[in-house]
Amino acid sequence: MSDRSTSTPDPLPAPEEPPAFASAASRDRFEVLVAEADAVSVDGWDFSWLDGRATEQRPSWGYARAMADRLGRARAALDLQTGGGEVLASAPKLPPVMVATEAWPPNVARATGLLHPLGAAVVADEDEPPLPFADAAFDLVVSRHPVTTWWEEIARVLTPGGTYFSQQVGPASVFELVEYFLGPQPPEIRRKRHPDDARAAATAAGLDVVDLRFEELRTEFHDIGAVVYFLRKVIWMVPGFTVEQYRSRLAALHRRIEEEGPFLAHTTRFLIEARKPG
């Protein structure tokens, strides 16, 4: 999964009616796969349900390992938008003071059950400024795939010399799939979440960017159930996605996968590390 691509294939035209299935067996497989993926829980931020059904190339920098190394040397740390707490819980050693925030109630409950036994506090927070912490409260702030990065608040809660370390979703990530369902997106949408913008925002907040890396990574969906599960879980990809609303497009994509092989998309990720002067 090391192929790189910057092109986006033209989306298929939206059919008025579901396309004819290649066979009754194909139709039956479609119904079973879609029903299963539409019924399974999408709580938390664990994607293990996709094992064997979808693959995603991982960034070369190894975020979880690098995060764990920094946590092991921190005195007080904050994990923003922790999801279900799965990534933070993978660290072998947490600092004496460890706090995580999360907005979505099912994830708050999940993270609490996972992180409290490890000595981490979970705070329900709406992910809107201000953060519910005092100035200079943490020498390390981490976040994996935050929806929004509130740079001024991060700078405020960091101690002088403190570090923000984050892996983030980059521009036009998995847009082959997004544009299959929504059609071509305008340039300003495709450019959102660009790492250059993150650098500028961090600098404007008074932080020094000490590392910034970007990678485009191969992602494959091996069956239509994987597509349904992914779009139900990552809700901002196709806002308001439901199986019934997109049944025709799903049926067409099911046949395409059966005839041509896995649906190929490209995930974009960037790593940013910024330090507060002092």
Side-chain angles (χ1 to χ4, degrees):
M1 299 192 348
S2 61
D3 292 3
R4 303 286 293 274
S5 172
T6 56
S7 62
T8 300
D10 292 334
L12 296 178
E16 292 298 325
E17 298 293 337
F21 290 97
S23 65
S26 175
R27 179 196 61 217
D28 292 345
R29 281 193 299 272
F30 172 78
E31 296 296 344
V32 168
L33 289 168
V34 166
E36 179 189 17
D38 201 27
V40 70
S41 171
V42 291
D43 290 352
W45 206 240
D46 176 11
F47 286 80
S48 60
W49 190 87
L50 290 174
D51 290 350
R53 313 180 77 149
T55 58
E56 180 182 275
Q57 184 183 4
R58 298 300 183 186
S60 62
W61 49 73
Y63 173 77
R65 182 181 63 252
M67 176 201 70
D69 176 67
R70 286 159 175 77
L71 287 171
R73 294 182 275 113
R75 298 183 303 275
L78 171 65
D79 182 21
L80 293 171
Q81 302 176 41
T82 194
E86 297 89 353
V87 178
L88 182 59
S90 70
K93 178 185 177 182
L94 298 180
V97 175
M98 185 72 239
V99 182
T101 68
E102 175 55 33
W104 194 39
N107 276 350
V108 172
R110 187 181 183 93
T112 298
L114 190 59
L115 296 175
H116 273 199
L118 302 179
V122 177
V123 176
D125 180 66
E126 292 301 317
D127 294 333
E128 296 280 346
L131 288 170
F133 307 108
D135 296 356
F138 303 99
D139 55 287
L140 176 66
V141 177
V142 299
S143 60
R144 181 180 182 273
H145 301 178
V147 177
T148 304
T149 303
W150 304 106
W151 287 104
E152 291 185 358
E153 279 298 287
I154 289 166
R156 181 182 65 79
V157 301
L158 278 173
T159 60
T163 296
Y164 176 67
F165 185 71
S166 177
Q167 177 177 294
Q168 306 207 4
V169 177
S173 188
V174 201
F175 260 43
E176 294 93 340
L177 189 63
V178 170
E179 294 187 329
Y180 175 83
F181 287 96
L182 300 181
Q185 299 297 293
E188 63 271 18
I189 298 298
R190 293 184 62 84
R191 195 191 183 283
K192 280 187 175 181
R193 308 185 69 88
H194 198 285
D196 288 348
D197 297 340
R199 181 196 295 275
T203 301
L207 302 177
D208 296 328
V209 176
V210 296
D211 195 6
L212 182 62
R213 306 182 223 171
F214 173 85
E215 292 184 2
E216 186 179 79
L217 307 155
R218 186 181 179 96
T219 300
E220 294 182 351
F221 296 89
H222 294 261
D223 67 52
I224 200 63
V227 172
V228 170
Y229 179 85
F230 179 80
L231 293 179
R232 289 183 60 227
K233 196 174 187 76
V234 190
I235 57 176
W236 51 87
M237 289 291 178
V238 179
F241 172 84
T242 65
V243 167
E244 288 311 309
Q245 180 180 358
Y246 289 100
R247 181 170 288 272
S248 294
R249 297 297 283 157
L250 289 167
L253 185 53
H254 168 71
R255 180 163 185 174
R256 174 172 164 178
I257 291 172
E258 288 202 324
E259 293 177 351
E260 302 177 13
F263 182 87
L264 174 63
H266 293 87
T267 299
T268 63
R269 298 285 183 264
F270 68 89
L271 183 79
I272 186 165
E273 186 168 19
R275 192 163 295 139
K276 186 172 180 176

